[in-house]
Amino acid sequence: MPDDRLSLDARYPIGQFVKPANVSASDRAGFVARLHILPVRLRDAVRGLSAEQLETPYRDDGWTVRQVVHHLGDSHMNAIVRCKLGLTETAPVVRPYDENLWLTTGDARAVDIEEALAFVDALHKRFAAVAASVDDQSAQRTIVHPESGEFTLAALLAQYAWHGDHHVAHITTLRAQRGW
């Protein structure tokens, strides 16, 4: 799990992602467990927040809590596609997207927070199932991101487990700072 001592930088409350050189079957099982539990942790993080609080940025020039929730759905939807491409193709090049622009589309502005959370719930049932299917052999398969380089599927799972923890920490850190 994340170490709270890692970073005082509001952008990275649990520290920046470090791509692991080696990932064991036990590590992968831990990533799957973190992906599986993310929707519960996310719901807990936003539980009881008012409409005004949901529109509060987690840091100066940062996304609002609502945008963080929508971003997790967008990002992890892409993660499933990337993982499935890695499972079914040889070193596919995956398509990047502008996460900030995705948060300007109509759904990110209009979809109620409960619907956004329900999307993450359903998405993560699927994501955890795909992630759990990554065995020792398929964990070494790769994808290529034009901006970030090559990732094994094991490292990809590590990144998205970190990513969920990272954004939940944005919300929980904001709540702690504001006394919410």
Side-chain angles (χ1 to χ4, degrees), residues 62-139:
W63 292 333
T64 67
V65 172
R66 179 183 310 280
Q67 287 174 313
V68 169
V69 172
H70 282 282
H71 166 70
L72 278 167
D74 291 343
S75 176
H76 292 196
M77 175 175 57
N78 276 282
I80 292 172
V81 171
R82 291 170 178 177
C83 192
K84 289 184 81 154
L85 286 169
L87 287 167
T88 61
E89 298 180 14
T90 302
V93 176
V94 298
R95 189 175 187 288
Y97 69 100
D98 186 326
E99 59 193 23
N100 289 309
L101 285 178
W102 278 43
L103 290 174
T104 67
T105 61
D107 62 314
R109 290 188 306 259
V111 170
D112 177 74
I113 193 72
E114 181 53 42
E115 292 174 23
L117 290 165
F119 179 69
V120 172
D121 289 343
L123 188 69
H124 270 259
K125 286 181 180 145
R126 187 80 178 259
F127 195 4
V130 171
S133 76
V134 176
D135 59 18
D136 289 341
Q137 184 176 358
S138 60

Side-chain angles (χ1 to χ4, degrees), residues 20 23 52 83 94 137-138 153 162 180:
V23 176
E52 181 180 333
C83 192
V94 298
Q137 184 176 358
S138 60
L153 292 187
W162 169 87
W180 294 344

Side-chain angles (χ1 to χ4, degrees), residues 52-67:
E52 181 180 333
Q53 290 167 328
L54 289 170
E55 297 306 325
T56 304
Y58 71 88
R59 65 175 175 87
D60 290 341
D61 299 319
W63 292 333
T64 67
V65 172
R66 179 183 310 280
Q67 287 174 313

